[in-house]
Amino acid sequence: MLAYLLRRLLLVIPTLLGIMLLNFVIIQFAPGGPIERIIAQVQGHAVDATSRFSGGGNEIQPIPQDMSAGAVTNSKYRGAQGLPPEFIEELEVQFGFDKPLHERFFKMLYDYIHLDFGESYFRNEKVIDLVLAKLPVSISLGLWTTLLVYLISIPLGIKKAVQDGSRFDVWSSAVIIIGYAIPGFLFAILLIVVFAGGKYLDWFPLRGLVSDNFAELSSWAKLKDYLWHITLPVTAMVISGFASLAMLTKNSFLDQIGQQYVLTARAKGLSETRVLYGHVFRNAMLIVIAGLPGAFISILFTSSLLIEITFSLDGLGLLGFEAAINRDYPVIFGTLFIFTLIGLVMNIVGDLMYALVDPRIDFASRNV
């Protein structure tokens, strides 16, 4: 077991390097970039990803008119025609684009090894500070959503398997299909219209994770305020997230219920509850419980983007979206490195979950 974990940890290094290299190359050849964005700002036709975005990191000064004589006529940067070449060269030095690709890549890796993720191109903040500032929002959404999805889906899937073909199975399957077919952000809009003062009731706040006077509240009032704000976003994510897991649980139980060991247990006179939860549960839940780390990572980093935008929650999903649109390379690569590392580690945690659920799994016999 220890040898297997050591091999998996060692594989994290080349996997992480490969992912970073692939994305670095793709980003370099993608159209647009921070220099093009600065040029667009200078020429007065830049468009930000969101209204909250502020370009505090790189303020561009007006170009002196007497420099127009030496303006760029042919440039690799779109929209650079008519600008002074000295201005373009200054931007290249500022963003590090005056160095070769391989040198920039290895410098980035060297900095990451020393936990230096750089500073945002367009904000006066370090990447790690941005991530830490927005992490509570995404963790709140991820933890509550994952917990509720599992608490709902597992009992529902078990009951559907036990009552396969019954009326309960049929109408619950209809609900699951609706939940699977409709995107979470549409549920979010519906919840806002009904419960957040959109048209009918005004029970819940429309935006933010906490109230403006959160720091002044007592501990109990802070908890209530937090739960009050998180209710609608989490509900929207749970409604759209429980369908797949419920069906996976049902199918896993149905597969195990038909196995020979279940027939043998019943033949010995064991009660249906003992057969179901003493024998079937451990085997059927293997794939469901072991997938918990991956499910949490998926919800944390991908599923919450539109929910964050809908409820004005400034989390990691929105940070990544803004960074991609604004070509903020330090934020893109810094968050990619952190998220990829967390994802790879959580995959190893998933293997450990397999061993905890079913001790018969022998990692020592595996080669990877």
Side-chain angles (χ1 to χ4, degrees), residues 218-244:
S218 63
S219 298
W220 175 243
K222 286 182 178 179
L223 177 60
K224 291 194 298 182
D225 182 76
Y226 165 74
L227 294 177
W228 183 48
H229 281 78
I230 206 70
T231 297
L232 291 188
V234 170
T235 301
M237 295 180 67
V238 168
I239 290 175
S240 61
F242 81 100
S244 299

Side-chain angles (χ1 to χ4, degrees), residues 44-301:
H45 51 75
V47 178
D48 293 326
T50 66
S51 60
R52 289 196 306 271
F53 182 86
S54 60
N58 289 304
E59 296 183 359
I60 304 303
Q61 301 296 328
I63 300 173
Q65 296 297 324
D66 57 357
M67 295 179 63
S68 58
V72 175
T73 58
N74 186 16
S75 173
K76 61 181 178 180
Y77 300 110
R78 186 173 54 187
Q81 288 77 10
L83 296 178
E86 296 83 358
F87 177 72
I88 303 300
E89 292 175 1
E90 182 181 346
L91 289 179
E92 289 182 335
V93 173
Q94 179 179 351
F95 291 114
F97 292 165
D98 57 324
K99 300 180 177 63
L101 283 177
H102 68 278
E103 185 176 337
R104 286 154 49 194
F105 178 72
F106 286 116
K107 181 182 183 303
M108 180 182 70
L109 293 181
Y110 177 83
D111 292 338
Y112 287 2
I113 292 174
H114 294 82
L115 301 180
D116 179 8
F117 299 100
E119 185 173 324
S120 169
Y121 284 162
F122 303 104
R123 303 171 188 249
N124 284 321
E125 294 184 70
K126 294 183 178 179
V127 173
I128 190 64
D129 293 336
L130 284 171
V131 172
L132 293 177
K134 301 175 189 304
L135 197 57
V137 173
S138 296
I139 287 183
S140 294
L141 292 176
L143 282 178
W144 284 112
T145 301
T146 304
L147 177 62
L148 292 176
V149 163
Y150 269 75
L151 289 178
I152 295 172
S153 300
I154 292 178
L156 178 60
I158 294 175
K159 188 170 184 178
K160 286 175 63 63
V162 173
Q163 301 184 16
D164 184 39
S166 65
R167 285 186 176 181
F168 172 80
D169 183 40
V170 173
W171 71 257
S172 60
S173 294
V175 174
I176 287 175
I177 291 173
I178 294 174
Y180 184 79
I182 302 179
F185 73 92
L186 290 182
F187 280 118
I189 295 174
L190 176 62
L191 292 174
I192 289 174
V193 171
V194 177
F195 298 107
K199 187 175 182 181
Y200 300 100
L201 305 174
D202 191 9
W203 291 354
F204 296 94
L206 181 59
R207 62 180 63 237
L209 190 64
V210 294
S211 300
D212 294 336
N213 63 336
F214 182 78
E216 304 171 2
L217 301 177
S218 63
S219 298
W220 175 243
K222 286 182 178 179
L223 177 60
K224 291 194 298 182
D225 182 76
Y226 165 74
L227 294 177
W228 183 48
H229 281 78
I230 206 70
T231 297
L232 291 188
V234 170
T235 301
M237 295 180 67
V238 168
I239 290 175
S240 61
F242 81 100
S244 299
L245 185 59
M247 294 305 299
L248 176 63
T249 304
K250 175 190 175 181
N251 294 332
S252 182
F253 263 79
L254 286 176
D255 179 66
Q256 293 297 320
I257 288 174
Q259 297 294 325
Q260 184 63 42
Y261 74 89
V262 176
L263 300 177
T264 302
R266 286 172 175 166
K268 291 181 178 180
L270 297 179
S271 65
E272 192 65 23
T273 302
R274 179 71 181 277
V275 172
L276 186 63
Y277 293 100
H279 295 272
V280 175
F281 184 84
R282 184 179 67 179
N283 295 323
M285 285 292 97
L286 180 61
I287 188 172
V288 176
I289 297 178
L292 177 60
F296 173 69
I297 289 297
S298 176
I299 293 173
L300 182 63
F301 296 142

Side-chain angles (χ1 to χ4, degrees), residues 8 12 15-16 19 339-349:
R8 287 297 304 271
V12 166
T15 304
L16 185 60
I19 292 174
F339 297 165
T340 302
L341 181 60
I342 293 175
L344 292 173
V345 172
M346 293 302 283
N347 283 334
I348 299 177
V349 174

Side-chain angles (χ1 to χ4, degrees), residues 279-351:
H279 295 272
V280 175
F281 184 84
R282 184 179 67 179
N283 295 323
M285 285 292 97
L286 180 61
I287 188 172
V288 176
I289 297 178
L292 177 60
F296 173 69
I297 289 297
S298 176
I299 293 173
L300 182 63
F301 296 142
T302 60
S303 301
S304 62
L305 170 59
L306 294 177
I307 300 297
E308 290 180 8
I309 295 176
T310 303
F311 289 98
S312 298
L313 298 172
D314 200 6
L316 294 176
L318 188 57
L319 173 65
F321 172 75
E322 291 181 351
I325 295 299
N326 295 315
R327 299 300 192 269
D328 199 343
Y329 290 170
V331 176
I332 292 176
F333 291 121
T335 54
L336 175 66
F337 181 88
I338 295 172
F339 297 165
T340 302
L341 181 60
I342 293 175
L344 292 173
V345 172
M346 293 302 283
N347 283 334
I348 299 177
V349 174
D351 287 344

